């Protein structure tokens, strides 16, 4: 869907927010987001991570590292939430998956400080 590029500052904020909510990630050097580039893989903004200096064994299974939600409709009782899941393969980030639980388009941009676990 797109070319390999550096992560935007907004994408970095989202990833940092997710990593701060995952207890098992503290001190793991492979999760330093400056070590990754990315490729957008869908219209929601999901990303495939491409490490700058790490080798990923593509045969290893991908596992969710942390998941969170975002209320993009800013309603107290939202009909559908934005699901945000950070995946890894053997401690190396592999994908940031973003999707709306009902498949509808996201309304505004994800606000990292408003992500909840």
């Amino acid at each position: 869907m797109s070319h390999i590029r550096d992560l935007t500052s907004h994408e970095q904020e989202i990833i940092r927010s997710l990593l701060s909510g995952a207890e098992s990630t503290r001190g793991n050097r492979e999760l330093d987001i400056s070590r990754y580039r990315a490729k957008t893989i869908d219209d929601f903004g999901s990303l495939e991570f491409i490490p700058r200096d790490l080798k990923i064994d593509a045969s290893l299974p991908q596992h969710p590292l942390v998941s969170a939600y975002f209320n993009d409709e800013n309603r107290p009782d939202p009909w559908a939430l934005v699901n945000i899941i950070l995946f890894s393969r053997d401690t190396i980030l592999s994908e940031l998956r973003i999707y709306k639980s009902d498949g509808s388009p996201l309304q505004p941009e994800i606000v990292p400080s408003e992500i909840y676990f």
Side-chain angles (χ1 to χ4, degrees):
M1 181 165 206
S2 76
H3 63 283
I4 297 172
R5 58 177 176 72
D6 289 333
L7 292 164
T8 67
S9 58
H10 184 253
E11 291 165 342
Q12 290 179 30
E13 286 181 56
I14 292 170
I15 297 162
R16 281 190 190 104
S17 179
L18 290 169
L19 290 172
S20 72
E23 192 66 36
S24 65
T25 64
R26 298 222 165 76
N28 188 335
R29 190 168 172 266
E30 285 80 12
L31 300 178
D32 175 1
I33 59 173
S34 67
R35 299 180 80 177
Y36 294 89
R37 299 185 77 206
K39 181 168 59 169
T40 305
I41 55 176
D42 64 26
D43 293 336
F44 287 113
S46 298
L47 302 171
E48 175 186 348
F49 295 114
I50 293 84
R52 294 177 190 273
D53 60 351
L54 300 167
K55 298 245 186 235
I56 293 182
D57 183 348
S59 69
L60 291 173
Q62 189 168 247
H63 297 285
L65 185 61
V66 62
S67 63
Y69 304 93
F70 176 69
N71 179 359
D72 70 330
E73 296 175 0
N74 203 19
R75 293 190 298 184
D77 188 19
W79 174 255
L81 292 171
V82 176
N83 296 274
I84 309 166
I85 307 169
L86 188 60
F87 288 88
S88 68
R89 278 193 171 94
D90 192 32
T91 74
I92 298 173
L93 295 179
S94 57
E95 183 179 333
L96 175 67
R97 192 171 305 161
I98 301 169
Y99 63 95
K100 188 101 177 246
S101 57
D102 69 351
S104 65
L106 272 67
Q107 298 304 317
E109 189 172 83
I110 294 171
V111 180
S113 62
E114 294 179 13
I115 292 172
Y116 62 94
F117 300 90

